[in-house]
Amino acid sequence: MRSRQTSVIILTFLAGLILWRVLDFSDAIDGGMTSTSATTIADDESEWEIEKSLGEISNATLGFERVFAIGFEDRMDKRDAMTIGASLSGMKLEWIEGVRWKDINEKAYPAGWDKRRNNPAELGAWRAHLNVLQKIVADGISTALIFEDDIDWDVTIRAQLIEFSRGARALQNTNSSSPHSPYGDDWEVLWLGACAMRTRDASYVYQIPDDPTVPPFKHRGEMIYPPFVKPSEMHKTRFVLERVEALCTLAYAVTYESARSILASLSLQPTNMAFDVSMNHLCMNKDLRCLGSYPVLFNTWRKEGTNAHDSDIHDDWEDVWHEKWSKGITYSTMLNVWNLIGGGKTVQAQYPEVSPQWIEFEKLEIPRGKLETYELTLGELTA
């Protein structure tokens, strides 16, 4: 009898507990959940969505819809190198044929082009870049990354781009957890590879301190240093900048809308400037919202050989032999080909003063950056 009474008490207690949980859950659905717990869950979900969006950068096109490389088909050596580098980085390239100025009908020259003053090869480069933009517009490509055919990048490029994208989104004030691009909602040009860069009229800069992939100060040539920062602060710091102006279109990204604007500006209106100078003016005049990285994330490299073989625009360089080199890339993909090609995970820095000299690149972490406020005083933009 005592056992039956005990069982009834236990069953009554369990029924009451179940009823209390049901009512409590119902209250939560009706808004009874406390604001603190609701906010925490919302914040967790938002952070998860942001991380999911940033994860798109790990795909074969680095978070863009397409990646194009411009180069001449008969420069098979350059295509070999870029194809190997892209393969080792798990990157998918689509080649766009370069254009030689002699093959351009003079009627198709931009109005105002001065053949006597300008290097004729610059006209071919101008047309080749416009051909890529034309394809982006014609095919309705949402975003595209465009390379020239002689560039290099760090073996940690995806980790670098993820942190760059955090900076780009912060500068654009992109609060959406699902932006149109992992790089934000409001950019028009991402200038990721240049030989000169500066920024103006920008009060905010995204600063990434202690970045182990930043090249030593003396090995950078694309800008003396941002004038809002002391040289002593530059050694391991990367900056994501807005309203940038740059020279050399080594690597840059565009959206469908900005590709259409650039194509219209450079094709339908008179111009007497090389492609990169024209792009610089569009950024300088704020016709486009241009963001960039200092130091840059993509830069020039050269295989072992003579200067005469390096450029397809300049033919007047001396025939002087040089070793292979890469400009401003710490853990260079091109200089580590033989460390990577057998599936290796350990690579060497190209600069002896860098520490660590050898890294397991998949384990290297890029620190989180933050927005900083600066008062800018600009110097000259020089290549």
Side-chain angles (χ1 to χ4, degrees):
M1 183 74 176
R2 188 179 186 88
S3 174
R4 290 183 61 187
Q5 288 177 338
T6 302
S7 297
V8 170
I9 292 171
I10 292 171
L11 288 172
T12 302
F13 171 76
L14 290 173
L17 179 62
I18 291 170
L19 178 63
W20 174 78
R21 292 297 294 164
V22 168
L23 292 173
D24 182 63
F25 180 70
S26 176
D27 285 344
I29 293 176
D30 293 335
M33 185 182 292
T34 64
S35 60
T36 301
S37 61
T39 301
T40 301
I41 291 172
D43 287 347
D44 288 344
E45 289 178 350
S46 177
E47 182 65 21
W48 183 84
E49 288 291 340
I50 289 171
E51 292 302 313
K52 180 182 176 184
S53 173
L54 293 176
E56 295 176 17
I57 295 170
S58 296
N59 67 21
T61 53
L62 305 180
F64 302 97
E65 184 176 342
R66 307 274 281 277
V67 179
F68 297 105
I70 302 172
F72 293 112
E73 188 173 9
D74 59 10
R75 285 305 305 262
M76 293 171 280
D77 55 332
K78 290 187 176 183
R79 291 205 181 193
D80 288 345
M82 287 280 289
T83 299
I84 291 167
S87 174
L88 293 172
S89 298
M91 195 188 307
K92 182 181 179 183
L93 293 181
E94 298 178 53
W95 283 95
I96 299 292
E97 180 62 17
V99 178
R100 288 188 166 86
W101 69 273
K102 294 179 181 179
D103 296 329
I104 302 175
N105 187 324
E106 286 199 30
K107 294 179 179 180
Y109 286 12
W113 187 267
D114 188 346
K115 292 184 291 183
R116 296 168 298 176
R117 184 174 67 85
N118 291 359
N119 180 347
E122 291 178 349
L123 180 62
W126 171 87
R127 184 64 252 175
H129 281 278
L130 261 61
N131 285 351
V132 182
L133 298 172
Q134 183 190 97
K135 181 174 180 61
I136 292 167
V137 174
D139 292 354
I141 297 169
S142 60
T143 60
L145 177 60
I146 302 166
F147 293 147
E148 295 185 352
D149 66 354
D150 54 358
I151 62 164
D152 191 10
W153 53 88
D154 202 285
V155 295
T156 65
I157 185 61
R158 285 181 173 80
Q160 290 178 325
L161 283 171
I162 286 174
E163 194 55 34
F164 171 83
S165 71
R166 293 187 201 278
R169 289 164 70 140
L171 291 171
Q172 297 166 73
N173 196 25
T174 297
N175 296 317
S176 169
S177 58
S178 301
H180 80 277
S181 158
Y183 299 95
D185 281 322
D186 198 28
W187 62 273
E188 292 174 297
V189 174
L190 303 178
W191 214 315
L192 302 176
C195 57
M197 183 180 290
R198 73 176 179 185
T199 183
R200 64 166 74 204
D201 302 329
S203 56
Y204 292 99
V205 175
Y206 190 81
Q207 182 172 325
I208 307 167
D210 300 317
D211 182 343
T213 68
V214 169
F217 188 67
K218 69 179 182 180
H219 295 294
R220 304 177 213 169
E222 69 271 13
M223 187 158 84
I224 298 175
Y225 60 85
F228 49 86
V229 181
K230 296 177 182 177
S232 60
E233 298 174 350
M234 291 298 298
H235 181 58
K236 285 284 188 179
T237 306
R238 187 179 301 279
F239 300 90
V240 183
L241 310 167
E242 64 175 338
R243 302 191 180 102
V244 300
E245 303 162 24
L247 295 176
C248 303
T249 44
L250 306 177
Y252 63 99
V254 294
T255 65
Y256 168 78
E257 290 81 6
S258 63
R260 188 167 55 183
S261 296
I262 299 166
L263 185 62
S265 297
L266 274 60
S267 181
L268 302 183
Q269 301 183 84
T271 183
N272 192 31
M273 297 179 291
F275 179 80
D276 63 324
V277 179
S278 296
M279 283 277 286
N280 174 66
H281 277 261
L282 292 174
C283 294
M284 180 174 64
N285 296 332
K286 301 181 184 178
D287 297 314
L288 298 172
R289 187 170 192 182
C290 305
L291 287 79
S293 168
Y294 175 79
V296 294
L297 297 172
F298 298 89
N299 216 327
T300 305
W301 92 283
R302 296 288 184 257
K303 68 174 183 177
E304 184 178 7
T306 67
N307 289 345
H309 293 162
D310 290 344
S311 177
D312 294 311
I313 293 181
H314 301 282
D315 295 324
D316 55 350
W317 290 356
E318 294 183 43
D319 198 16
V320 177
W321 190 273
H322 59 73
E323 300 298 319
K324 59 185 177 181
W325 58 267
S326 179
K327 182 179 178 183
I329 302 295
T330 300
Y331 297 104
S332 158
T333 297
M334 295 302 185
L335 299 184
N336 276 289
V337 164
W338 294 110
N339 294 322
L340 296 168
I341 206 162
K345 304 297 183 183
T346 305
V347 296
Q348 184 178 18
Q350 69 163 317
Y351 306 117
E353 61 267 46
V354 167
S355 180
Q357 266 291 291
W358 290 86
I359 62 164
E360 292 184 60
F361 66 90
E362 290 182 342
K363 297 181 180 179
L364 190 71
E365 296 184 1
I366 306 296
R368 285 284 186 99
K370 63 179 180 178
L371 275 180
E372 299 283 1
T373 305
Y374 292 98
E375 182 176 345
L376 301 187
T377 304
L378 293 171
E380 291 297 320
L381 173 63
T382 56

